Amino acid sequence: MKKATKIRSKSNLTNLIESDMIIVSGKYKYKFSWNWAKLPEDMKLTLISGVTCDKEGNVYALNRSEDYPIVVFDKDGNLIKRISIKEPVKRVHGAYMTSDEKIWFADDGGHVVRKIDKEGNVIMTIGEFGKPSDTGCNNALPSPELAKSIKYRGLPFNRPTKAFETDNGNIYVSDGYANVAIHKFGKDGNLIKSWGAVGNGDNEFRRPHGIWVDKFERVWVADRENDTVKIFNSEGEFIHRIDDLLFPTDFWSDGNLMYVGELDGRLSIFDLEFKLVAQLGFAGSPLCVHALYGMPNGDLFACVFRGEYYLVKLERIWD
């Protein structure tokens, strides 16, 4: 497993003069802004673990706070509102906005995935809150050891990581922190099928962390601990794998390209024939992407980890 370059300095990253940097790969050029999100003096984001956007360009960030697990910014980074969820929440993870502007998120601490409206009203819950499925693992272990302790694939869910709903209503869930499963549900929330096993074979996972379904209803899975993206058809049959990534975590697609966030310092862009067309960052760079979403104008928003989690903007520069 590749590891990020260690940062020797332990200085507080707030002790900086604000600046931007330009990152370029081929024709893909972005202005990387650390302090895009503007917060009131009395507010601090805790751990930003997911991000998605609506059609108006507003940015919805998952914030691991019991008081306001979702915070919303306008396209200029101004805080619009804080959303509380009308059901218990333990640890939010992985956000996705549907075409009719409902929000899916995983609660990996509560072992459920939820679909809500923009006011925080729960429309659908899949899973039983607080009751993990059996995967033979030890949930008391920290992250790397937890993944190694999983013995077999379990039922939905044991610490799910993200949910994705297609326009035809199918719901796909990566069940990855304490399970090695991809689950497919119908629009009614009933389980259709699951696939996955422990390992790094074509139909195996070590940590299915992120999920996206492309326009051909092929399921892209970010198998983080295996440094691999694996692609399946809608029935869970293996199609292709992309190896030698740097801890892949999350996806966003504009319909023609797939953007892959990598936690160890990189963002890779592939076409839908799986060809690499651009690669931004490098192992140990500040572009440590945990979650990712984009806008039609090419701008990207990312949750990045650099000692803490930050919500940043990558503004597309068009030559």
Side-chain angles (χ1 to χ4, degrees), residues 49-50 62-70 84-96 103-116 120 122 124-133 139 155-164 171-179 183 209 290:
S49 57
L62 298 184
N63 177 49
R64 287 186 185 159
S65 162
E66 294 181 3
D67 298 324
Y68 43 92
I70 299 179
S84 60
I85 310 299
K86 309 300 192 293
E87 296 285 348
V89 172
K90 293 286 286 185
R91 205 179 95 123
V92 292
H93 192 287
Y96 177 72
I103 303 164
W104 277 101
F105 69 90
D107 184 343
D108 77 85
H111 311 290
V112 297
V113 295
R114 296 194 194 276
K115 182 181 183 180
I116 63 171
V122 176
M124 178 181 287
T125 297
I126 306 177
E128 192 170 356
F129 186 81
K131 294 191 176 181
S133 64
N139 256 318
L155 296 171
F157 298 108
N158 196 331
R159 302 193 64 188
T161 48
K162 190 172 182 179
F164 186 106
I171 303 155
Y172 295 85
V173 179
S174 53
D175 193 5
Y177 267 127
N179 203 348
H183 307 291
H209 187 274
H290 181 268

Side-chain angles (χ1 to χ4, degrees), residues 69-80:
I70 299 179
V71 290
V72 187
F73 301 89
D74 67 18
K75 60 183 178 180
D76 298 316
N78 300 303
L79 181 68
I80 299 175

